């Protein structure tokens, strides 16, 4: 017989609420939480199944579902407006499952197994689409995209406002590429292409430069409404920059990046003349010109201070400037930019080989209020530059990676920045004692990197965190610290730092003890119980053995999504871990884990502190998988999904 207390609890159970009230509550949750609720009882399961037929947004990027896993989560839903998926385990056979005519926003990541059919099907069904992101389409061997697929996409999506194509466009779409864009929506205001040639871009914007053009050929303006253009090209050239600047009359945001395979000749390079053509219509607010060192150590050797002067004359209203690889520009050129652009609040310079402290000598006398500053690989900078730079007291992002002459004095200056969120100090000459200066800002920091700061030891952890409370730090990079050992990680665990991403690559003294400490780590009991790590990079840590892999299995590290380990670890051990945690991405080839948000965007990278990863708990924690068990992942996971 039930006790009075048990009867009262039963009467007050949530599943006794009216269906409309219960549905309203559950519909406020994200997809992961809805699935978690569905696993608790039959009432909640039925309610969750119903909610999936009318929720407006379905975002599932933390895991890569198979088609069998995805199908019951995406029942017919005429109200679905926004869909975001990691498609690593999907192919063309899944298109009909997720492509819906009701969609306004579609974000598809890791589409290597899809062919051009994905583009044509979206164009044929999603007439009301406003936003489209397609990543890595047809990268797997045997897949192809035809120009007709792009044609159907552009012809069908007549309401498209933002289009992002992050795949190798020249590999598939070189033929008639320029003509097809005449079909693009007149409402298109933002276009990003992850790989395209400068010649294709020029021919797109100025068709008379293409081959076999009739002198009487007329074509209406291409992309007349474009305000934001982001391109990764083979070469940034004067011709391409001139075409963009003259044709796109409404352009406010221009982001150009190249990665030459060979040293460019004059005709295929950016010169002072090209810079003079930028912002012909006076509307540009954000400019990024970067020469990547991905394949070759090369620079914009044909641009000097005169080019910066030309550009500054046309860019007085600029708010954000990113310049990478301008090796012949000196302090005079960079100073011209700072003193001409009074509205500038984001400044990024990389490989500024002649940029020195003098650029910031009189910055306090300007009207600038910088909030985001990146000065990577500017090796002439010293502590004095930082002392002047922090007169901009509203700095939120400060990237000083690979400025090797910065030391503890710079940290003392940085400690006066009350709003600082991201601080990157890779390769600097700082010490354990110097890091103690950061206690003044550690409570506001979201991301901190001290990778490759060789003087740091275990004491740097206590210098940073002991005695601190209410920490918001989520990303911490301690990679390539030869004197960091298990004792430092034990201190980190003891301080209950609520990090979600921890990188400790190339730390020879880090071993199994560190993994055990992190697995047992508890964070603030008011918010989290157990370890909240989502990313853990232990690549080439000298003391990692098979014992660590026992602690990396469930139920430890319940939220872990990314794991980096040494490639020499037994493949059988890695495979056993993959069977135990089917949604964990294990990297063994020294690749960097996660998105490189510091290099791709000035935006603050923040996570939702209240985000609990309940989906994996639902999908995986139904039964503990013993190390000797092998499972059919999808078959086992399906039983926990709402049907």
């Amino acid at each position: 017989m039930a006790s009075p207390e048990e009867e009262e609890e039963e009467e007050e159970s949530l599943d006794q609420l009216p269906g409309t009230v219960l549905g309203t509550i559950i519909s406020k949750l994200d997809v992961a939480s809805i699935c978690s609720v569905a696993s608790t009882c039959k009432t909640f399961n039925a309610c969750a199944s119903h909610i999936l037929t009318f929720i407006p947004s379905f975002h599932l990027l933390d895991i890569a579902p198979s088609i069998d896993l995805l199908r019951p989560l995406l029942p017919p839903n005429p109200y679905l407006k926004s869909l975001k998926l990691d498609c690593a385990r999907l192919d063309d056979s899944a298109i009909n499952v997720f492509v819906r005519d009701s969609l306004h926003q579609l974000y598809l990541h890791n589409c290597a197994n899809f062919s051009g059919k994905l583009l044509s099907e979206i164009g044929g069904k999603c007439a009301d689409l406003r936003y489209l992101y397609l990543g890595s389409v047809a990268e797997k061997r045997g897949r192809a995209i035809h120009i007709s697929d792009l044609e159907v996409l552009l012809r069908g999506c007549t309401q498209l406002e933002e289009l992002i194509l992050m795949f190798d466009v020249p590999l598939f779409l070189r033929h008639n590429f320029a003509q097809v864009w005449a079909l693009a929506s007149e409402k298109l205001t933002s276009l990003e292409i992850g790989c395209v040639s400068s010649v294709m871009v020029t021919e797109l914007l100025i068709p008379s430069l293409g081959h076999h053009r009739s002198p009487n050929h007329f074509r209406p303006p291409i992309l007349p409404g474009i305000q934001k253009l982001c391109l990764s090209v083979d070469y940034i050239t004067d011709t391409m920059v001139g075409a963009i600047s003259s044709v796109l009359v409404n352009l406010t945001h221009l982001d150009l990046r190249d990665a030459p395979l060979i040293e460019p000749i004059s005709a295929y390079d950016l010169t002072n003349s090209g810079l003079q053509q930028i912002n012909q219509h006076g509307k540009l607010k954000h400019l990024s010109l970067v020469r990547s060192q991905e394949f070759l150590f090369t620079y914009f050797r044909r641009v000097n201070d005169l080019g910066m002067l030309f550009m500054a004359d046309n860019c007085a209203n600029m708010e954000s400037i990113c310049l990478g690889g301008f090796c012949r520009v000196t302090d005079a050129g960079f100073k011209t930019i700072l003193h001409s652009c009074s509205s500038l609040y984001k400044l990024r310079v990389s490989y500024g080989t002649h940029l020195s402290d003098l650029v910031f000598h009189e910055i306090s006398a300007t009207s600038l209020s910088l909030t985001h500053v990146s000065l990577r690989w500017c090796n002439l900078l010293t502590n004095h530059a930082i002392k002047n730079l922090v007169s901009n007291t509203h700095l939120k992002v400060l990237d000083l990676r690979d400025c090797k002459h910065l030391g503890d004095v710079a940290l003392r200056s940085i400690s006066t920045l009350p709003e600082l969120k991201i601080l990157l100090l890779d390769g600097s000459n700082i010490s354990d004692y110097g890091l103690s200066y950061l206690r003044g800002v550690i409570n506001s920091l979201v991301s901190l990197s001290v990778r490759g700061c060789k003087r740091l030891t275990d004491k740097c952890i206590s210098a940073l965190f002991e005695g601190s409370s209410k920490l918001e730090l989520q990303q911490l990079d301690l990679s390539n610290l030869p004197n960091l050992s298990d004792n430092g990680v034990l201190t980190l665990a003891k301080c209950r730092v609520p990090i979600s991403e921890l990188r400790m690559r190339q730390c020879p003294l880090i071993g199994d003890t560190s993994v055990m400490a992190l697995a047992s780590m508890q964070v603030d009991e008011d918010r989290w119980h157990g370890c909240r790590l989502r990313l853990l990079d232990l690549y080439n840590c000298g003391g990692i053995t098979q014992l660590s892999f026992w602690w990396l299995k469930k139920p430890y590290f319940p939220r872990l999504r990314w794991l980096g380990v040494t490639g020499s670890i037994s493949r059988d051990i890695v495979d056993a871990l993959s069977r135990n945690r089917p949604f964990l991405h294990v990297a063994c080839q020294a690749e960097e884990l996660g998105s490189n948000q510091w290099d791709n965007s000035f935006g603050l990278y923040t996570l939702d502190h209240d985000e609990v990863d309940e989906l994996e708990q639902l999908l995986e924690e139904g039964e503990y998988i013993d190390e000797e068990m092998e499972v059919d992942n999808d078959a086992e996971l399906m039983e926990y999904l709402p049907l």
Side-chain angles (χ1 to χ4, degrees):
M1 181 175 178
S3 65
E5 293 79 5
E6 291 175 340
E7 291 179 355
E8 183 177 352
E9 289 180 2
E10 183 177 348
E11 291 175 358
E12 295 179 355
S13 176
L14 285 176
D15 61 5
Q16 302 299 314
L17 289 173
T20 54
V21 175
L22 189 60
T24 300
I25 295 172
I26 297 179
S27 65
K28 303 296 184 182
L29 305 175
D30 59 18
V31 173
S33 299
I34 290 173
C35 292
S36 182
V37 166
S39 68
T40 59
C41 68
K42 291 182 179 180
T43 301
F44 284 4
N45 187 288
C47 185
S49 298
H50 177 60
I51 286 171
L52 290 174
T53 66
F54 64 80
I55 56 172
S57 300
F58 186 96
H59 298 168
L60 192 60
L61 291 171
D62 278 346
I63 66 170
S66 68
I67 185 172
D68 292 330
L69 191 61
L70 185 64
R71 187 177 283 113
L73 294 176
L74 283 175
N77 178 0
Y79 306 100
L80 188 63
K81 301 298 182 184
S82 178
L83 177 66
K84 297 183 180 181
L85 287 176
D86 185 334
C87 299
R89 300 177 66 195
L90 303 176
D91 56 26
D92 286 350
S93 64
I95 293 176
N96 289 331
V97 174
F98 60 79
V99 174
R100 310 288 179 88
D101 57 8
S102 62
L103 288 173
H104 287 183
Q105 181 184 52
L106 182 58
Y107 181 104
L108 302 176
H109 185 50
N110 290 331
C111 301
N113 295 314
F114 288 85
S115 69
K117 182 182 178 182
L118 177 63
L119 279 70
S120 59
E121 289 292 319
I122 292 172
K125 295 182 179 180
C126 302
D128 291 328
L129 204 62
R130 269 68 166 176
Y131 171 97
L132 176 61
Y133 173 99
L134 297 175
S136 308
V137 181
E139 285 190 355
K140 189 172 182 179
R141 179 177 294 182
R143 308 298 193 272
I145 307 173
H146 300 289
I147 195 67
S148 59
D149 297 320
L150 179 61
E151 182 178 353
V152 174
L153 175 69
L154 296 178
R155 188 189 300 275
C157 297
T158 57
Q159 305 300 312
L160 202 60
E161 299 172 0
E162 184 169 356
L163 177 61
I164 304 173
L165 303 176
M166 300 302 290
F167 55 85
D168 193 343
V169 169
L171 182 63
F172 303 111
L173 304 176
R174 181 177 294 274
H175 180 64
N176 289 333
F177 179 76
Q179 295 91 313
V180 167
W181 284 94
L183 302 170
S185 166
E186 293 183 357
K187 298 180 179 181
L188 191 65
T189 60
S190 178
L191 175 63
E192 182 172 353
I193 302 179
C195 181
V196 65
S197 74
S198 59
V199 173
M200 293 174 69
V201 175
T202 304
E203 292 179 353
L204 166 64
L205 297 173
I206 307 180
S208 61
L209 296 180
H211 300 294
H212 311 297
R213 293 287 183 187
S214 167
N216 297 321
H217 178 80
F218 172 78
R219 190 182 67 172
I222 293 294
L223 307 176
I226 287 293
Q227 299 175 19
K228 179 179 179 180
L229 182 65
C230 303
L231 303 173
S232 180
V233 298
D234 48 358
Y235 301 101
I236 298 176
T237 67
D238 287 351
T239 304
M240 183 184 70
V241 169
I244 292 171
S245 300
S246 63
V247 174
L248 302 181
V249 298
N250 295 309
L251 200 64
T252 61
H253 186 129
L254 178 60
D255 185 336
L256 301 177
R257 177 184 294 263
D258 70 4
L261 294 172
I262 59 174
E263 190 67 37
I265 61 175
S266 179
Y268 288 92
D269 203 2
L270 181 67
T271 70
N272 291 339
S273 176
L275 289 184
Q276 192 172 12
Q277 299 179 67
I278 289 177
N279 200 24
Q280 294 180 24
H281 301 283
K283 298 179 180 179
L284 204 61
K285 298 292 185 182
H286 308 274
L287 175 65
S288 177
L289 300 171
V290 174
R291 175 148 289 173
S292 169
Q293 314 293 311
E294 182 178 357
F295 305 114
L296 180 72
F297 285 106
T298 182
Y299 304 89
F300 292 112
R301 302 182 189 278
R302 296 175 174 88
V303 174
N304 55 29
D305 292 341
L306 183 61
M308 291 293 115
L309 179 61
F310 289 154
M311 188 176 74
D313 287 341
N314 295 329
C315 299
N317 295 322
M318 203 74 69
E319 298 175 0
S320 169
I321 292 181
C322 176
L323 302 172
F326 289 84
C327 67
R328 294 187 60 200
V329 176
T330 69
D331 290 338
F334 291 117
K335 206 166 186 178
T336 299
I337 297 295
L338 288 180
H339 287 261
S340 299
C341 304
S342 58
S343 300
L344 194 69
Y345 66 91
K346 296 181 181 180
L347 173 68
R348 184 175 182 180
V349 179
S350 59
Y351 293 104
T353 55
H354 293 296
L355 187 151
S356 76
D357 297 350
L358 292 176
V359 171
F360 305 104
H361 179 61
E362 298 176 348
I363 193 170
S364 60
T366 69
S367 60
L368 292 177
S369 182
L370 297 172
T371 60
H372 299 59
V373 173
S374 174
L375 301 168
R376 195 174 183 189
W377 288 300
C378 298
N379 289 322
L380 297 183
L381 292 178
T382 70
N383 298 326
H384 187 69
I386 309 306
K387 182 178 180 180
N388 289 320
L389 184 59
V390 298
S391 63
N392 290 269
T393 57
H394 296 293
L395 273 172
K396 293 180 173 62
V397 177
L398 186 56
D399 181 357
L400 301 172
R401 286 177 290 172
D402 303 293
C403 296
K404 59 185 179 182
H405 297 302
L406 301 183
D408 294 348
V409 176
L411 293 180
R412 185 165 56 191
S413 300
I414 292 170
S415 68
T416 63
L417 298 172
E419 300 177 26
L420 194 63
K421 298 294 184 183
I422 296 177
L423 177 60
L424 312 178
L425 298 165
D426 303 20
S428 57
N429 191 35
I430 58 177
S431 69
D432 297 334
Y433 179 78
L435 277 183
S436 65
Y437 288 124
L438 295 184
R439 287 189 178 180
V441 296
I442 194 64
N443 287 339
S444 68
L445 283 181
V446 173
S447 188
L448 173 65
S449 178
V450 291
R451 176 182 294 207
C453 298
K454 305 292 187 182
R455 295 176 61 192
L456 297 182
T457 68
D458 293 334
K459 294 180 180 179
C460 73
I461 304 298
S462 56
L464 275 171
F465 301 118
E466 280 192 351
S468 299
S469 61
K470 296 183 179 180
L471 294 171
E472 300 296 339
L473 193 69
Q474 298 167 47
Q475 297 175 315
L476 179 62
D477 194 336
L478 302 172
S479 301
N480 199 16
L481 300 184
N483 299 310
L484 180 69
S485 72
D486 292 336
N487 290 330
V489 179
L490 287 168
T491 303
L492 184 67
K494 180 181 178 181
C495 293
R496 297 187 174 188
V497 184
I499 48 179
S500 58
E501 297 187 11
L502 177 61
R503 294 171 172 85
M504 297 189 294
R505 303 164 60 88
Q506 306 282 357
C507 292
L509 302 182
I510 295 295
D512 297 333
T513 302
S514 292
V515 177
M516 289 186 281
L518 293 171
S520 306
M521 180 178 175
Q522 291 193 352
V523 189
D524 185 350
E525 294 180 359
D526 293 333
R527 295 191 299 175
W528 295 96
H529 300 275
C531 182
R532 61 172 290 183
L533 281 175
R534 300 175 68 84
L535 182 151
L536 178 61
D537 195 346
L538 301 170
Y539 176 76
N540 208 22
C541 288
I544 300 297
T545 70
Q546 183 175 352
L547 178 61
S548 290
F549 283 80
W550 285 83
W551 288 88
L552 288 166
K553 292 183 177 181
K554 295 180 299 183
Y556 305 106
F557 298 101
R559 300 172 181 87
L560 197 63
R561 286 285 180 269
W562 296 79
L563 174 67
V565 293
T566 306
S568 60
I569 293 289
S570 169
R571 188 69 231 182
D572 291 338
I573 297 176
V574 175
D575 289 343
L577 180 62
S578 297
R579 291 194 299 271
N580 180 265
R581 311 191 70 152
F583 294 113
L584 175 65
H585 177 83
V586 183
C588 304
Q589 305 300 321
E591 58 265 48
E592 291 284 351
L593 300 182
S595 61
N596 199 349
Q597 71 283 348
W598 297 322
D599 288 331
N600 293 335
S601 172
F602 271 127
L604 289 178
Y605 183 70
T606 59
L607 299 174
D608 183 355
H609 298 298
D610 297 323
E611 177 189 358
V612 180
D613 189 0
E614 296 172 309
L615 179 60
E616 185 174 12
Q617 295 173 7
L618 162 69
L619 298 181
E620 295 182 338
E621 292 180 4
E623 282 189 41
Y624 180 76
I625 304 175
D626 187 79
E627 65 275 4
E628 297 180 355
M629 291 179 60
E630 293 189 17
V631 297
D632 180 345
N633 295 334
D634 287 345
E636 181 173 341
L637 299 177
M638 285 295 293
E639 65 178 284
Y640 300 109
L641 295 174
L643 299 176

